[in-house]
Amino acid sequence: MTGVIERYREELPFGADDPIVSLEEGSTPLVPAPALSAIVDAEVLLKLEGANPTGSFKDRGMTCAVSAAMREGAHAVICASTGNTAASAAAYAARAGLTAGVIVPEGKIATGKLAQALIHGARVVALRGNFDQALALVRELVERHPIALVNSVNKFRLEGQKTAAFELLDELGELDALCIPVGNAGNITAYWQGFHERGAAPRMLGFQAEGAAPLVSGHPVEEPETIASAIRIGRPARWEEAISATVDSRGEIRAVSDQEILDAYRMLAAGEGVFCEPASAASVAGLLRYGADSARRVVCVITGHGLKDPQTAIDSAAAGGPVGVAGGIVSCEAELGALEQAVLG
Ligand SMILES: *Cc1c(COP(=O)(O)O)cnc(C)c1O
């Protein structure tokens, strides 16, 4: 197995002698989703990006952004993040021996992501503000200091992330539509770039959370709010590119509610055996709400792993549990009769 730069070097801006920082990201599973396929009457497949080294698709872009930073002689990288970019930047910087600074909205990032950024040794700055404010500030900061910015405004991030589109085409030959959650809109832009470079044009169906849907309403959202923290973004940096991708592919960007996201999140876990984080379930929530249209083969991008955000899983299981089952867990005395009753109901 190799990382995405080695695997697709001909199609990426890296030469044979460039330094490569990799954790062997990419080559993620593409699994059929029989339960979903039956519901929407199309062949649905799930691209499990949570299987990347740090548990999200951000690693595809980070191998490129950090490798390019090394080539340029950078000593430090920085990003604003809702969590996964921070985790990925921290890991790849550690791998490269670089210093990483990550700016996250205070109290708003999932536990697993915070744990990752900390254990990889990043300087974690909790900003009293939202993601959009954090990104605006780090963009100013890097104007004054020689630190490489590794947000998806960095073109190398998109170069790396487009390899997911290559993998889909290499494995499937063709697909009719791609369902994908949209936050800062880097990933939908990267997939479209990848498809376009290979002469493919599946419909790009992007989904935002209702409380953070600037690309649907057409204007920035000052205080974005949704349970799906990875897409809690009100001013997407790749706004124009995301709109072009949907127009050029005859796709669309639409909104789904938090309730629909949580329903899809539980359905994926209980019905397909796939545990993702809430933002990732937006792609499936969108497919369930709006249908496959005339698409025969649809790929849903499952952007991040469910273990990133254990609290939402526990709360959500508790909320969905049968009456009398506290917290989704059945408490039991250490005695056979009680165990029989607890197990058999
Ligand atoms: C970053 C992220 C997104 C959103 O991707 P954008 O490129 O910001 O649109 C969606 N889901 C997860 C899990 C993410 O980490």
Side-chain angles (χ1 to χ4, degrees):
M1 197 89 102
T2 58
V4 298
I5 298 180
E6 230 181 301
R7 189 163 173 211
Y8 293 109
R9 197 188 297 260
E10 312 272 88
E11 292 161 282
L12 294 172
F14 292 94
D17 299 328
D18 288 333
I20 300 304
V21 182
S22 172
L23 289 164
E24 305 207 352
E25 59 294 314
S27 305
T28 53
L30 179 64
V31 302
L36 263 173
S37 299
I39 296 170
V40 302
D41 195 23
E43 179 191 359
V44 182
L45 300 116
L46 307 172
K47 182 68 168 159
L48 302 187
E49 290 292 284
N52 276 297
T54 77
S56 85
F57 73 82
K58 300 296 198 299
D59 295 343
R60 292 180 184 274
M62 206 53 73
T63 182
C64 291
V66 172
S67 296
M70 287 291 279
R71 183 168 61 190
E72 289 151 19
H75 297 289
V77 300
I78 195 165
C79 64
S81 177
T82 59
N84 281 331
T85 299
S88 188
Y92 281 79
R95 185 86 180 163
L98 301 177
T99 303
V102 306
I103 319 299
V104 299
E106 189 174 55
K108 297 282 188 182
I109 93 164
T111 318
K113 305 175 188 182
L114 186 60
Q116 288 177 290
L118 289 168
I119 200 71
H120 287 304
R123 178 184 282 267
V124 178
V125 178
L127 192 81
R128 283 182 223 98
N130 61 31
F131 170 83
D132 301 293
Q133 293 167 307
L135 181 57
L137 284 168
V138 290
R139 290 180 88 154
E140 280 188 56
L141 189 83
V142 299
E143 294 293 315
R144 296 166 175 240
H145 302 275
I147 308 174
L149 181 63
V150 296
N151 278 103
S152 58
V153 294
N154 176 324
K155 71 172 198 281
F156 292 101
R157 281 277 309 277
L158 301 198
E159 290 288 338
Q161 286 170 213
K162 78 183 180 187
T163 61
F166 295 167
E167 287 178 15
L168 291 179
L169 295 173
D170 287 347
E171 201 163 336
L172 294 174
E174 57 184 17
L175 60 152
D176 302 311
L178 185 86
C179 294
I180 182 168
V182 177
N184 215 21
N187 212 27
I188 191 170
T189 302
Y191 268 89
W192 181 242
Q193 185 181 333
F195 286 130
H196 189 72
E197 287 178 12
R198 289 277 187 98
R203 295 180 64 195
M204 306 297 287
L205 305 176
F207 299 102
Q208 299 204 288
E210 265 173 16
L215 297 174
V216 179
S217 66
H219 52 78
V221 176
E222 292 310 326
E223 291 185 8
E225 212 25 88
T226 167
I227 182 133
S229 59
I231 52 172
R232 191 185 286 145
I233 293 175
R235 283 179 190 273
R238 296 284 182 175
W239 186 303
E240 304 299 332
E241 294 93 328
I243 299 296
S244 299
T246 48
V247 170
D248 295 351
S249 70
R250 294 170 302 110
E252 213 154 343
I253 297 183
R254 292 179 287 205
V256 287
S257 70
D258 276 10
Q259 191 55 54
E260 288 166 332
I261 288 173
L262 285 175
D263 288 346
Y265 170 74
R266 280 192 288 251
M267 186 275 168
L268 277 170
E272 301 286 8
V274 170
F275 183 27
C276 65
E277 63 172 287
S280 310
S283 57
V284 171
L287 179 63
L288 287 171
R289 170 155 171 191
Y290 298 100
D293 242 338
S294 51
R296 283 157 304 145
R297 179 185 277 163
V298 182
V299 172
C300 292
V301 183
I302 305 300
T303 48
H305 202 286
L307 288 172
K308 294 273 189 177
D309 186 358
Q311 199 55 50
T312 300
I314 292 165
D315 294 348
S316 167
V323 180
V325 180
I329 298 169
V330 184
S331 160
C332 180
E333 292 300 329
E335 189 255 302
L336 185 60
L339 183 61
E340 271 177 334
Q341 199 170 16
V343 173
L344 305 173

